[in-house]
């Protein structure tokens, strides 16, 4: 498994490099988050030796389980929906929550971070593809968010995340990624500090090269690494 992983990672790195070159970007601007939801902890445990220290899970319980089983220097990313009753156990083990998809969740995170005496970084999940069934804040939700952001003292917003619709062709995700970047550029000047929209978490196995071309700073990859 380790050999196979190493080979797949090399291929992914090559594709990332190429996408960076096309976009005139540096590979160092992009963090590869390995989404380990399809593999067991013993496979995820092989990743640090390959240089992958940013690991992601979409389900909080699975993140807790793997975080407990793996070395403490791994940076865990929660990329899927967080139910409010799972916030307390998630905060201590998570470096970045990509999936803040409602004002209610943002307020609950602030309350729990204050209770635990922690500072927390999050991304706002945006439904940039405008699919009705999908989690995420709407593209026009900034006016409702500003007064809430103003009051946060433990939670810092540091970027935006989106999931493109599942498309047959990676190119079809481009408008969604471009919309997220546009939104970042429009919202950024209006955000009260210390909030700042520096990160764009977008791009999965099917479309990460397009996402890099459109400005992704975090790509979330599962299948292309683990099969
Ligand atoms: C599973 C998952 C990924 C990784 O998806 P792949 O297509 O396997 O690369 C990325 N982001 C989120 C939110 C996920 O749930």
């Amino acid at each position: 498994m380790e050999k196979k992983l190493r080979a797949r990672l090399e291929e992914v790195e090559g594709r990332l490099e190429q996408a960076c070159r096309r976009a005139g970007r540096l590979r160092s601007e992009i963090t590869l988050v390995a989404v380990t939801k399809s593999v067991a902890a013993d496979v995820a445990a092989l990743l640090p030796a390959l240089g992958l220290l940013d690991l992601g899970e979409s389900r909080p319980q699975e993140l807790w389980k793997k975080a407990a089983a793996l070395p403490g220097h791994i940076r865990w990313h929660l990329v899927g929906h967080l139910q409010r009753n799972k916030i307390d156990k998630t905060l201590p083990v998570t470096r970045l929550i990509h999936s803040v998809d409602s004002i209610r969740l943002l307020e609950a995170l602030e309350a729990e971070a204050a209770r635990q005496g922690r500072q927390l970084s999050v991304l706002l999940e945006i439904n940039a593809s405008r699919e009705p069934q999908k989690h995420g804040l709407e593209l026009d939700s900034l006016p409702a968010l500003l007064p809430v952001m103003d009051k946060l003292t433990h939670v810092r917003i540091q970027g935006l995340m989106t999931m493109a619709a599942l498309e047959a062709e990676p190119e079809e995700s481009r408008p969604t990624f471009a919309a997220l970047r546009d939104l970042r550029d429009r919202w950024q000047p209006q955000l009260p500090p210390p909030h700042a929209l520096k990160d764009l978490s977008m791009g999965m196995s099917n479309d990460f090269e397009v996402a890099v071309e459109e400005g992704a700073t975090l790509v979330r990859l599962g299948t292309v690494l683990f099969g």
Side-chain angles (χ1 to χ4, degrees), residues 41-171:
D42 59 335
V43 175
L46 301 170
L47 298 171
L50 301 177
L52 290 174
L53 287 172
D54 288 274
L55 307 190
E57 280 290 331
S58 58
R59 292 177 58 239
Q61 300 99 305
E62 189 62 25
L63 190 155
W64 307 339
K65 212 173 83 189
K66 286 206 179 84
L70 269 63
H73 64 293
I74 287 172
R75 300 180 287 262
W76 285 101
H77 298 246
L78 181 68
V79 300
H81 181 61
L82 176 58
Q83 300 87 347
R84 278 173 300 145
N85 64 359
K86 303 208 166 64
I87 292 174
D88 56 348
K89 285 202 199 163
T90 300
L91 293 194
V93 287
T94 306
R95 168 64 68 98
L96 183 64
I97 297 174
H98 292 228
S99 43
V100 175
D101 52 12
S102 71
I103 288 178
R104 217 157 65 133
L105 177 59
L106 188 58
E107 290 176 328
L109 283 166
E110 169 68 22
E112 183 61 22
R115 203 183 64 78
Q116 296 186 14
R118 290 178 190 285
Q119 295 293 320
L120 175 70
S121 292
V122 305
L123 309 180
L124 300 174
E125 180 173 353
I126 307 292
N127 184 2
S129 55
R130 298 178 189 271
E131 292 163 279
Q133 75 281 12
K134 209 150 153 187
H135 286 297
L137 294 152
E138 301 304 317
L139 287 160
D140 58 3
S141 53
L142 185 65
L145 277 163
L146 281 175
V148 180
M149 286 186 201
D150 240 343
K151 279 185 280 176
L152 301 176
T153 53
H154 294 78
V155 176
R156 197 171 65 90
I157 294 162
Q158 71 168 44
L160 304 176
M161 178 270 224
T162 202
M163 289 181 64
L166 192 61
E167 304 283 7
E169 291 298 324
E171 260 321 304

Side-chain angles (χ1 to χ4, degrees), residues 35 37-38 57-58 79-80 125 161 163 203-206 220-225:
V35 179
K37 68 185 177 203
S38 66
E57 280 290 331
S58 58
V79 300
E125 180 173 353
M161 178 270 224
M163 289 181 64
M204 303 174 27
S205 291
N206 190 44
R220 311 180 307 265
L221 303 181
T223 314
V224 78
L225 292 172

